Amino acid sequence: MSVDVQAMSRILGIDVEARNFNVGNTAYLPQRIAIIGQGNSDTQYDTKKYTVLTSEEVAEKFGYGSPLHLAVDMLLPANNDGVGAIPVSIYALKDKDNAIAASGEIAITGTATETKSFKIYVGGISAQVVISKNDNAEAALTKIKNAIDGILKMPCKTSEVADGKLTLTAKWKGESGNQISINIEDAIVSGLTISKTNFQNGAVNPDVNDALAQINDIWETFILNCLNYNDADTLEKYRTFGEGRWVNTVKKPCLVAHGCTDNFTTRTAITDAPAQINDKINFLIVSVGSEELPFRVAARGLAKDIVTTANSNPATNYKATLTQLKAGDDIKQEDWTIRDKAVKLGSSTNIKIGDSAALNDTVTFYHPTSDNIGVWKYVCDIVKIMNVLYNCELIFASDEWKGVPLQPDSATPRNPNTKRPKDAKTALTILAQNLEADSIISDSAFTLENMTVSIDSQNPKRLNWKFPVKISGNVEVISGDIYVGVYLEN
């Protein structure tokens, strides 16, 4: 009211205030990424939530070549081809006291009879090496050592050369270090025999529960896991946490992305395990046969284009190429029949376009045979459901509904704050129509016909509503028929 009700002298008072006349219009759920992973074992850092701006600052804080640094390097690359302004937060893990770092080895015998330049890849990250004619094994290994040590973001550190061998040790401790690959296929030098032993013997991953507890009331929509996807204990912790985020008093669901470079048999042995069949929280981002670190594959998949698309056009499914990463060899790629089996067993898939892997099917582990509807299967569909939830919350968590008088539809209130069930129904009707217009749901007529809003029969301070929606589909399979005949002169 502009002028006090007790005023008597002639006056004109006009108040101006902001009002939201767009109640029920669709707002896209703002996406956020939480990274859960380790820093460099030789770096001192705390585990408080940390908001990321650049990969360089992550390297300085958590150590160059650490999982946290290498993951952010794919989310926020130097060329700005990443997640842009989407918030990225780090929930750092510390090594377990009894953890062991994985290690690999490069061995050389002989003496070079030519000068040769080549690249060695460790975890998909390259180091340029130049071997000179007459270099013996020790000299050649020293040059490889110096080349690796000269790349700050290498995921390993090197030992001193001894007995024709160079040991490479992961920069963090735990089982996930076993995922680091060594590629010496280009290292062919006349007179030298160069061999490798892949990273192994890393043991005891850190516990993710403390990191998950820090998320609290923040709606982190996607979690990037930097540990290995086949750690059953970690999968269970993510699943338990994620299920809790769907509880109706929490209302902040999330999805957990895991990188994977394994073939069909290896990865579906995990996704099809009994514990995972009903898992709608965890999902893989796949680049079959790639020698990149799996969590970098997952980070790039989120950046190109799962999270960015979810943020700007949540009705659309994902298809972008994993740029800046090497794909697996052509011979390791899976045909449609294998990809189809993988999806049915809860595993995402990729295809290869040129030299890059591309997202193909992005699905959660969820695949019970008893579910003929499958709304929890596709990551894209869950993002749509999250958007429906977000928009309903925008309506009823607003000040417009907090503590206001509640009367039945038959009432004709004078109080402008009073709400009736039909006011809620109006807002939900507008929302349904806008969700359909944005292709997040289909058949809004069904929603309007079956929506109910009422004051509770036992509690006059309680409003009950039901908002049934049909999540829209996406083009995944196209089937056409071409009929061919010949022209005959009549």
Side-chain angles (χ1 to χ4, degrees):
M1 184 174 293
S2 302
V3 179
D4 191 287
V5 293
Q6 302 299 322
M8 297 183 67
S9 178
R10 184 180 299 164
I11 189 172
L12 170 64
I14 301 175
D15 277 344
V16 178
E17 63 179 277
R19 287 289 180 94
N20 179 12
F21 298 114
N22 297 310
V23 174
N25 285 350
T26 307
Y28 293 159
L29 169 62
Q31 298 297 305
R32 296 179 58 96
I33 300 173
I35 307 174
I36 295 182
Q38 295 159 268
N40 192 317
S41 296
D42 294 332
T43 301
Q44 296 296 317
Y45 58 88
D46 62 54
T47 57
K48 294 179 182 177
K49 176 196 168 185
Y50 181 74
T51 301
V52 177
L53 296 177
T54 68
S55 63
E56 187 67 22
E57 70 180 28
V58 174
E60 293 288 346
K61 183 175 178 64
F62 297 101
Y64 286 87
S66 65
L68 292 174
H69 171 216
L70 296 176
V72 174
D73 185 51
M74 288 290 97
L75 292 172
L76 298 168
N79 68 351
N80 295 319
D81 184 27
V83 298
I86 294 172
V88 177
S89 299
I90 283 176
Y91 298 85
L93 304 172
K94 286 289 188 76
D95 297 341
K96 282 275 194 178
D97 290 341
N98 58 339
I100 300 170
S103 62
E105 185 179 88
I106 297 174
I108 298 180
T109 59
T111 299
T113 58
E114 65 173 340
T115 296
K116 184 73 176 287
S117 173
F118 58 86
K119 289 182 179 180
I120 283 181
Y121 294 85
V122 182
I125 297 171
S126 65
Q128 186 76 41
V129 181
V130 178
I131 302 296
S132 300
K133 186 177 180 179
N134 297 323
D135 279 348
N136 61 18
E138 182 172 341
L141 282 169
T142 299
K143 289 182 175 180
I144 291 173
K145 169 184 168 63
N146 292 338
I148 292 174
D149 291 344
I151 307 298
L152 289 176
K153 68 179 183 180
M154 273 290 174
C156 67
K157 53 189 178 181
T158 63
S159 68
E160 295 302 318
V161 175
D163 301 322
K165 297 176 182 178
L166 175 67
T167 299
L168 312 178
T169 303
K171 288 182 176 177
W172 66 95
K173 295 179 180 179
E175 183 182 340
S176 63
N178 297 330
Q179 300 176 112
I180 302 173
S181 63
I182 303 173
N183 184 335
I184 59 170
E185 290 179 7
D186 293 335
I188 301 173
V189 182
S190 297
L192 295 181
T193 299
I194 304 177
S195 61
K196 67 170 184 178
T197 301
N198 284 321
F199 278 74
Q200 57 188 341
N201 298 323
V204 191
N205 279 333
D207 190 334
V208 299
N209 275 341
D210 288 344
L212 292 171
Q214 287 193 64
I215 293 176
N216 204 0
D217 288 334
I218 302 168
W219 197 340
E220 304 283 16
T221 54
F222 282 87
I223 294 174
L224 169 59
N225 173 48
C226 292
L227 305 178
N228 44 301
Y229 79 96
N230 54 0
D231 181 339
D233 289 341
T234 297
L235 285 177
E236 182 179 1
K237 289 169 184 175
Y238 281 131
R239 186 167 58 250
T240 300
F241 173 81
E243 290 288 351
R245 303 296 281 184
W246 283 99
V247 170
N248 59 9
T249 54
V250 179
K251 308 180 297 297
K252 292 179 173 64
C254 65
L255 290 151
V256 182
H258 308 260
C260 177
T261 60
D262 291 329
N263 63 21
F264 165 83
T265 302
T266 303
R267 69 182 191 271
T268 57
I270 303 301
T271 63
D272 195 38
Q276 270 68 263
I277 289 175
N278 291 289
D279 183 348
K280 63 177 184 284
I281 307 301
N282 293 295
F283 73 100
L284 300 181
I285 299 176
V286 177
S287 180
V288 174
S290 172
E291 294 187 342
E292 301 281 356
L293 281 161
F295 58 78
R296 279 168 63 85
V297 171
R300 201 63 188 138
L302 293 177
K304 302 284 293 182
D305 61 338
I306 295 171
V307 173
T308 47
T309 298
N311 196 62
S312 62
N313 192 347
T316 301
N317 210 343
Y318 320 118
K319 59 189 177 184
T321 55
L322 304 183
T323 55
Q324 304 187 40
L325 296 176
K326 290 180 65 177
D329 294 338
D330 290 350
I331 197 171
K332 295 180 180 179
Q333 303 309 302
E334 298 166 350
D335 62 21
W336 176 82
T337 59
I338 297 298
R339 296 196 302 268
D340 188 58
K341 291 177 183 177
V343 171
K344 292 171 181 175
L345 294 176
S347 170
S348 301
T349 69
N350 76 276
I351 57 174
K352 192 174 178 182
I353 301 176
D355 293 329
S356 298
L359 302 175
N360 193 58
D361 304 292
T362 306
V363 297
T364 67
F365 293 172
Y366 182 87
H367 62 287
T369 55
S370 59
D371 186 353
N372 295 320
I373 302 174
V375 295
W376 304 113
K377 186 171 190 63
Y378 283 87
V379 169
C380 177
D381 287 346
I382 295 178
V383 168
K384 294 172 196 170
I385 297 168
M386 291 163 68
N387 271 271
V388 174
L389 170 59
Y390 174 68
N391 279 275
C392 288
E393 183 176 26
L394 285 180
I395 295 171
F396 294 107
S398 68
D399 287 341
E400 188 177 348
W401 282 89
K402 291 179 181 176
V404 298
L406 180 62
Q407 289 188 313
D409 285 337
S410 59
T412 54
R414 183 182 304 161
N415 188 327
N417 292 333
T418 299
K419 293 294 184 184
R420 294 160 294 179
K422 64 183 180 182
D423 296 315
K425 197 165 188 177
T426 297
L428 290 172
T429 297
I430 297 170
L431 175 60
Q433 292 168 339
N434 281 286
L435 288 170
E436 181 176 46
D438 286 330
S439 302
I440 293 173
I441 70 169
S442 296
D443 195 4
S444 63
F446 167 85
T447 299
L448 302 187
E449 183 178 346
N450 292 277
M451 175 172 54
T452 62
V453 185
S454 63
I455 298 174
D456 190 84
S457 61
Q458 303 298 317
N459 184 355
K461 299 179 181 295
R462 175 174 173 149
L463 183 71
N464 299 322
W465 53 269
K466 294 182 180 179
F467 188 61
V469 295
K470 297 179 180 179
I471 296 299
S472 61
N474 295 86
V475 177
E476 303 298 336
V477 178
I478 299 175
S479 177
D481 295 303
I482 296 176
Y483 300 100
V484 178
V486 297
Y487 174 77
L488 298 174
E489 189 77 41
N490 291 327

